[in-house]
Structure formats: structure tokens, C-alpha cells
């Protein structure tokens, strides 16, 4: 039989339903196809799995689907409690939501001067995820004020990034209070007609000032000081008042107060009735010099020379010299009867003599006092003036005067010409520093060394001349490098 056009005779593909006489029933083939499609739909709706080939790149498609539908991680940030400057602080974030987040949390701490978190953070801590509460690493604060924490999460394959949290979040604010400074005042034993006190101060690198006040024996409750002394503070330690020349014997009381600074709380007046800060001073002589007294050592020219009034005096004058009765250092000229003190200029260290003259009934009386003056400026100890064969690689040392009131520090200049600093110009060094090792100096040269002492903003100096050793095993040549002097004001020119 010949197949009709457009129909296949292959009964395996589509066999038409036949009628009674072998004819196909019209429309039965189309009906079979519809029924087959409907059955497939029923199978799928019933949850029957239909195997299908895995498309190429299925893993990347799956990853992208997870990112598009990443879980949301929620963070609540809490700072460590209020503390004081110099202490360690940290932050904690509670993590919720998400799908077992991995990755890292980054904590950022913004300084006390940055309330809007606009500048760079002063501290950053990155820690791994993996817990419901994540702690930052600790940070030691360096200034008082209000800091602010932020935290952010970097995300992973199953969790979207999150944060940073808001800088304005109150729970992320960290208050750092100034350090609680402490101070104790102790009176020193009376010496040479003077009394003095010292204060031990502790704090966080404190600056500012300490003010000492002394009260007379008749002022039982420290209502009105008879003398005050203010000293600058540069760190924790012990500070001494200026000596006070007392007019009469008795029990004097000292108090001290600390000004405080940005990182240290102030300290109010220490107790008035406190035995360590009280001193009993012996009665001074009925007349004559109160300061200095005969044989007294470490006499400071910053303290006025003082004497007891002489009854019926018409006029005073005073001399100070390098030998008994000499006046090569001080000649006051005539002083009025009402004057009982004189501020001498800076005196050289060593044994000196002072003579106080008083005219009574047109006749001169006088008192001799020998004393040892406290050095007021540093002096070179190695090398000394005129030294030869100085090691070009050696260290320069000097005696300090850091105990003298008002001394602020030293500076060292070394030059091939007098008064210059073309080899070394240190700038101001601490008052406690007593040596300095410069870069290698030129060998076999005559050099000029100037050691400056700055006291109450005024410079004094010692100038020496040395000669370095010739080039050899302990010396090596070094070209001079011009340097701009770093100390002001400029010292006097060479004589």
C-alpha cells in the first residue's frame, strides 16, 4: 500500500487508530499527542523527577544565585566602659542573622578630636568571624576625650558584606577621662636661714605647673601664704620649690597644688595640717646675713641675699668676691635702711665671700660670710679646654645643673670656626642629659666647642677649644656638613 502524502508508514513512530475497514479514524493522531502532553504535565505536577543533563558551568551559576540571595548579617556594636587615659580599651559586636558567616570583622576607632569619624582612625583591628560575639583587639589610649568605634563585615560566599556601623551610634562611643594625678608634699629641714619643700607627682606624662605655698607659724589653718613658688612640670617625678628665707623661727607649713593638663586631672591644695609638709625652723641671728650663712654650700644666686634689719642703721652696702673681702663680683652701692635683701647676678661656682656693711651712728660695722656658690651653668668635663688628641668618634660630656631653678636644658655646638655650628648643632637638650655623641668629627683639626645652658629663657655658655687626633686606628676623616643652628636667641659673637 502506498502511503498518503505527508504520512509515515513506520508504525513505531505513530500508529493511527483504524476503523472497522482498516481506515484511520480522523483526528486520532492529534488526540494521542495531546493526551501524552497532558500525562507528562500530571507526572511533573505530582513531583516526579525528570532526569536532565547537567548544564555546563552549573557551579558558577549556583554561586551567583547564592550571592544574589545572600543572607543578611546584623551587628550591634558596644564599646568597653569609660576609662582613663593610658588604659586599654576594646569593642564588642554581637552578630545575628546570616548563614554561618565566615570572613572578618574590622573595628575602627576614631580619636577624641574626630567626633564625626571623618579622619583616619587612630586604631584598626581585624578579627575573624565565627562567633555570635566578636571582640576587637585592645588599644591603649593616648589622649582624653570621647572616641567613637565603627565595625564592618567583609562578607563571604553565603553572606553579604555589612556596615560600617554609624559613627553616631551612642553604644559605640568611648569616654576616656583624664588620668587621676596624685601628689605628696614634703618639707625639707631648715638650712642656712631657708626652708624648702618638694613634691612627688604621678600622672600620665603630666605637664603644667606645681605651685608651692608656705604659711607662717601663726597661720594655723593656712589661710594666707607668706611665700609661693611655681615650677614647671615635665613628667612624673619629684620637683623642688625655690628656697624661702624665713624671717623668724617657728613651725612653717607647706602646701602644693598641681594645675593639671589635657590628660591629667588637677590636684588641689594638699592638706595644711600634715606632718611631712611641716618644718620647724630655728630662730635666725638677731642681726646680720640670713642668706647665705657662713659655710653654707650650694648657695643659689636665684635666691636674694637677705639680712636681718640692724637697729638704728643709716645705710647698707654689700660686696661679693672670689676671695675674702673682695668685690670683683658684686658692689651694690649704698642701699636704704628699709632694704633687707639684694638680688645678686649669676655667680660662678666655687668658694666665694660676701660682706654686709651697715652704718650705725656714722660708724661702719660689717659681717664676713664665706660660702660655696651653686653652679648656674653646665661645664664641659670631657674633653676640657685645650685638650689635644681628642677621639673624633668620642662622646662629649658635661656637668649638669638641672637642680637649679629655671634651668630648661643645654645645647652643644661644634665648629671649625668660633661661634659656629657647621659640624654639630644639637638644639635644646633635656636638663637631665649630660652627654652627647656627635657624628664622626674631622681628624687632626682644631675645633671650637660651645656648651649652652638655657635658664628662664636666657642663654649662658662655655666655650672651649680642642684638637682632634690625626687620622689613624681610632680616628677617621669626616667632611664638615653645614648645619643651621637650632637654638634661639643667637648667643653673643666671639670676643
Amino acid at each position: 500500500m502506498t502511503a498518503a502524502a505527508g504520512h509515515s508508514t513506520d508504525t513505531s513512530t505513530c500508529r493511527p487508530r483504524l476503523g472497522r475497514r482498516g481506515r484511520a479514524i480522523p483526528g486520532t493522531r492529534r488526540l494521542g499527542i495531546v493526551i501524552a502532553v497532558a500525562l507528562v504535565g500530571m507526572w511533573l505536577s505530582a513531583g516526579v523527577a525528570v532526569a536532565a543533563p547537567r548544564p555546563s558551568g552549573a557551579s558558577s551559576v549556583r554561586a551567583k544565585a547564592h550571592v544574589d540571595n545572600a543572607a543578611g548579617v546584623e551587628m550591634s556594636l558596644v564599646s568597653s566602659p569609660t576609662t582613663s587615659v593610658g588604659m586599654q580599651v576594646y569593642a564588642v559586636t554581637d552578630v545575628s542573622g546570616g548563614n554561618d558567616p565566615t570572613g572578618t570583622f574590622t573595628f575602627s576607632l576614631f580619636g577624641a578630636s574626630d567626633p564625626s569619624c571623618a579622619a583616619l582612625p587612630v586604631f584598626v583591628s581585624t578579627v575573624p568571624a565565627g562567633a555570635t560575639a566578636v571582640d576587637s583587639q585592645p588599644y591603649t589610649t593616648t589622649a582624653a576625650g570621647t572616641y567613637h568605634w565603627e565595625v564592618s563585615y567583609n562578607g563571604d560566599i553565603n553572606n553579604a558584606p555589612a556596615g560600617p556601623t554609624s559613627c553616631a551610634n551612642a553604644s559605640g562611643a568611648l569616654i576616656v577621662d583624664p588620668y587621676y594625678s596624685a601628689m605628696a608634699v614634703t618639707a625639707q629641714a631648715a638650712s642656712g636661714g631657708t626652708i624648702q619643700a618638694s613634691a612627688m607627682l604621678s600622672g600620665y606624662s603630666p605637664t603644667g605647673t606645681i605651685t608651692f605655698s608656705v604659711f607662717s607659724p601663726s597661720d594655723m589653718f593656712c589661710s594666707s601664704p607668706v611665700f609661693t613658688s611655681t615650677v614647671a612640670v615635665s613628667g612624673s617625678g619629684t620637683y623642688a620649690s625655690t628656697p624661702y628665707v624665713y624671717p623668724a623661727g617657728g613651725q612653717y607649713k607647706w602646701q602644693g597644688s598641681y594645675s593639671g593638663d589635657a590628660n591629667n586631672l588637677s590636684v588641689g591644695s594638699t592638706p595644711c595640717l600634715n606632718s611631712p609638709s611641716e618644718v620647724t625652723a630655728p630662730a635666725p641671728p638677731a642681726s646680720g646675713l640670713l642668706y647665705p650663712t657662713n659655710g653654707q654650700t650650694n648657695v643659689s644666686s636665684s635666691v636674694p641675699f637677705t639680712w636681718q634689719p640692724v637697729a638704728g642703721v643709716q645705710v647698707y652696702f654689700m660686696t661679693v668676691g672670689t676671695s675674702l673681702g673682695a668685690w670683683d663680683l658684686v658692689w651694690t652701692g649704698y642701699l636704704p635702711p628699709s632694704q633687707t635683701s639684694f638680688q645678686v647676678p649669676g655667680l660662678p661656682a666655687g668658694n666665694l665671700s660676701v660682706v654686709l656693711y651697715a652704718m650705725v651712728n656714722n660708724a661702719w660695722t660689717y659681717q664676713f660670710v664665706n660660702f660655696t656658690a651653686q653652679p648656674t651653668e653646665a661645664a664641659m668635663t670631657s674633653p676640657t679646654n685645650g685638650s689635644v688628641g681628642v677621639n673624633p668618634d668620642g662622646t662629649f660630656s658635661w656637668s649638669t645643673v638641672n637642680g637649679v631653678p629655671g634651668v630648661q636644658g643645654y645645647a652643644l655646638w661644634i665648629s671649625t670656626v668660633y661661634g659656629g655650628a657647621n659640624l654639630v648643632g644639637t638644639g635644646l637638650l633635656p636638663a637631665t642629659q649630660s652627654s652627647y655623641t656627635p657624628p664622626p668629627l674631622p681628624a687632626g683639626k682644631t675645633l671650637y666647642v660651645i656648651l649652652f645652658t638655657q635658664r628662664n629663657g636666657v642663654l649662658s655658655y662655655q666655650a672651649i677649644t680642642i684638637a682632634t687626633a690625626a687620622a689613624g686606628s681610632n680616628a677617621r676623616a669626616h667632611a664638615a656638613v653645614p648645619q643651621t643652628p637650632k637654638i634661639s636667641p643667637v648667643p653673643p659673637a666671639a670676643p
Side-chain angles (χ1 to χ4, degrees), residues 191-196 214 226-227 242-248 252 254 281 284 288-293 296 300 302-308 340-341:
S191 174
T194 67
I195 55 175
Q196 191 174 16
V214 65
V226 295
F227 173 75
T242 300
Y244 168 59
V245 181
Y246 60 90
Y252 290 81
W254 287 94
L289 282 161
L290 301 176
Y291 184 84
T293 57
Q296 186 172 352
S300 173
S302 64
V303 179
F305 282 26
T306 309
W307 56 89
Q308 189 76 7
T340 57
S341 66

Side-chain angles (χ1 to χ4, degrees), residues 222-466:
C222 303
S223 59
S224 179
V226 295
F227 173 75
T228 60
S229 170
T230 300
V231 297
V233 170
S234 58
S236 298
T238 301
Y239 296 87
S241 72
T242 300
Y244 168 59
V245 181
Y246 60 90
Q251 189 176 55
Y252 290 81
K253 295 173 284 294
W254 287 94
Q255 285 185 318
S257 61
Y258 168 56
S259 66
D261 59 22
N263 291 324
N264 295 271
L265 293 175
S266 61
V267 177
S269 295
T270 53
C272 172
L273 301 177
N274 181 30
S275 58
S277 61
E278 298 176 352
V279 58
T280 300
S287 62
L289 282 161
L290 301 176
Y291 184 84
T293 57
N294 194 43
Q296 186 172 352
T297 60
N298 288 325
V299 172
S300 173
S301 58
S302 64
V303 179
F305 282 26
T306 309
W307 56 89
Q308 189 76 7
V310 177
V313 69
Q314 296 167 279
V315 67
Y316 298 104
F317 79 86
M318 187 173 65
T319 62
V320 181
T322 53
S323 61
L324 185 64
W327 55 80
D328 53 322
L329 298 177
V330 175
W331 175 278
T332 64
Y334 292 138
L335 305 175
S338 59
Q339 186 167 341
T340 57
S341 66
F342 184 83
Q343 180 65 64
V344 299
L347 299 175
N351 296 324
L352 304 176
S353 175
V354 56
V355 183
L356 175 65
Y357 297 87
M359 179 180 282
V360 179
N361 297 324
N362 297 319
W364 287 106
T365 63
Y366 55 86
Q367 179 190 17
F368 288 94
V369 166
N370 294 314
F371 66 94
T372 303
Q374 184 183 56
T376 57
E377 64 180 26
M380 292 295 302
T381 57
S382 177
T384 55
N385 189 38
S387 296
V388 297
V390 175
N391 185 357
D393 298 323
T395 297
F396 287 67
S397 303
W398 55 86
S399 61
T400 65
V401 288
N402 57 300
V404 175
V407 171
Q408 298 162 293
Y410 317 103
L412 182 69
W413 286 8
I414 305 175
S415 177
T416 56
V417 295
Y418 187 91
N422 62 353
L423 296 178
V424 174
T426 64
L428 195 64
L429 303 173
T432 55
Q433 186 167 336
S434 60
S435 65
Y436 180 80
T437 302
L441 301 172
K445 295 288 186 181
T446 296
L447 301 179
Y448 299 92
V449 180
I450 301 179
L451 177 64
F452 295 96
T453 300
Q454 182 164 302
R455 180 183 176 201
N456 294 323
V458 178
L459 288 173
S460 60
Y461 66 94
Q462 179 196 31
I464 67 172
T465 304
I466 63 172

Side-chain angles (χ1 to χ4, degrees), residues 15-41:
R15 179 177 295 173
R17 182 179 179 184
L18 300 179
R20 292 180 178 179
R21 296 183 180 181
R23 296 181 180 176
I25 300 174
T28 58
R29 183 179 178 187
R30 180 178 302 172
L31 178 61
I33 295 172
V34 171
I35 293 172
V37 172
L39 289 174
V40 170

